[in-house]
Amino acid sequence: AQSVTQPDIHITVSEGASLELRCNYSYGATPYLFWYVQSPGQGLQLLLKYFSGDTLVQGIKGFEAEFKRSQSSFNLRKPSVHWSDAAEYFCAVGEPGGGNKLTFGTGTQLKVEL
Amino acid sequence: EAGVAQSPRYKIIEKRQSVAFWCNPISGHATLYWYQQILGQGPKLLIQFQNNGVVDDSQLPKDRFSAERLKGVDSTLKIQPAKLEDSAVYLCASSPSGAGLGNEQFFGPGTRLTVL
């Protein structure tokens, strides 16, 4: 069964600084990979997804993620963080042929200092 | 386009009571999911419907949880009787036709359940 590890529970960055959130997965083949964001009291919103092809994926709100097969990683990055980016971020793995079932990591809480 | 609707947004009950949550997916979305999100954890899939049929309920505690999606549109998730460990946010999501991967899941705002 696949699993997802987000090693950072909390991260604090200053507004305007760069951001990288880590995600490692465990799966026998190349999975489908997703990043979601959850603001307080809101549902999850999809930021970006990777299925195949170019390993650098662009998403909404200026986010990007890079799939590195050798490291089983799919880290999320943003060059300049805005105060409105403060939220919880979840990495998720989808199993090809698994009927769109997603397995989520435990999340990383992002705090942005002004 | 209206998003996924859920009600109630908050519910407080005592252990051993029963509770029900309602979800109305995005119009035309064939697939509906219920997730449980315990504080400090990521969402965990409880059950997945394709139209009004169950695709996956392997992680649904069937001794106390039940779900239905009559007519393949809205859905109800029930807990009876509730335990303290059921305190969580229950998220509903829907995705367009088919259970094929690649269909984005659209999430509702969730129902926060507190069991005392």
Side-chain angles (χ1 to χ4, degrees):
Chain A
Q2 67 267 35
S3 65
V4 180
T5 301
Q6 293 182 248
D8 303 306
I9 299 174
H10 297 98
I11 283 186
T12 300
V13 299
S14 299
E15 189 174 37
S18 64
L19 171 69
E20 183 169 29
L21 302 182
R22 296 184 290 165
C23 172
N24 292 95
Y25 68 88
S26 173
Y27 184 65
T30 300
Y32 296 164
L33 296 161
F34 306 80
W35 274 101
Y36 282 84
V37 61
Q38 187 177 35
S39 298
Q42 309 272 331
L44 284 81
Q45 181 184 23
L46 181 66
L47 288 175
L48 46 78
K49 57 188 178 183
Y50 172 79
F51 292 158
S52 64
D54 192 346
T55 57
L56 185 62
V57 180
Q58 302 297 321
I60 62 171
K61 303 185 180 185
F63 286 92
E64 66 178 27
E66 185 171 12
F67 169 60
K68 293 186 176 180
R69 184 191 309 274
S70 61
Q71 299 176 22
S72 297
S73 69
F74 189 57
N75 294 348
L76 182 71
R77 300 193 295 247
K78 187 170 185 178
S80 178
V81 171
H82 188 263
W83 65 267
S84 60
D85 293 325
E88 189 153 23
Y89 292 79
F90 291 93
C91 181
V93 167
E95 182 177 346
N100 217 19
K101 177 181 177 179
L102 296 180
T103 299
F104 285 85
T106 52
T108 297
Q109 186 72 45
L110 173 65
K111 180 180 176 181
V112 179
E113 290 183 334
L114 300 177
Chain B
E1 173 180 85
V4 176
Q6 291 188 247
S7 68
R9 292 295 309 276
Y10 305 91
K11 189 73 176 179
I12 300 174
I13 62 172
E14 295 188 349
K15 60 183 179 183
R16 290 188 289 274
Q17 286 186 324
S18 62
V19 64
F21 312 127
W22 175 81
C23 172
N24 190 26
I26 293 173
S27 177
H29 280 196
T31 310
L32 185 146
Y33 313 79
W34 282 103
Y35 289 86
Q36 180 192 58
Q37 185 178 15
I38 294 174
L39 186 64
Q41 299 181 20
K44 181 185 81 171
L45 180 69
L46 293 175
I47 189 167
Q48 176 182 347
F49 291 94
Q50 175 74 12
N51 295 311
N52 60 351
V54 175
V55 174
D56 185 345
D57 64 356
S58 58
Q59 299 191 88
L60 186 74
K62 299 180 186 63
D63 58 333
R64 298 183 299 106
F65 286 65
S66 64
E68 60 183 10
R69 191 184 184 197
L70 300 176
K71 301 181 182 179
V73 181
D74 54 353
S75 176
T76 303
L77 176 69
K78 297 179 181 178
I79 308 174
Q80 182 179 10
K83 293 185 175 181
L84 296 177
E85 58 261 36
D86 298 331
S87 294
V89 175
Y90 291 85
L91 295 165
C92 180
S94 68
S95 66
S97 61
L101 207 61
N103 290 321
E104 178 182 346
Q105 295 185 28
F106 296 82
F107 285 81
T111 296
R112 182 176 297 276
L113 173 67
T114 302
V115 182
L116 303 176

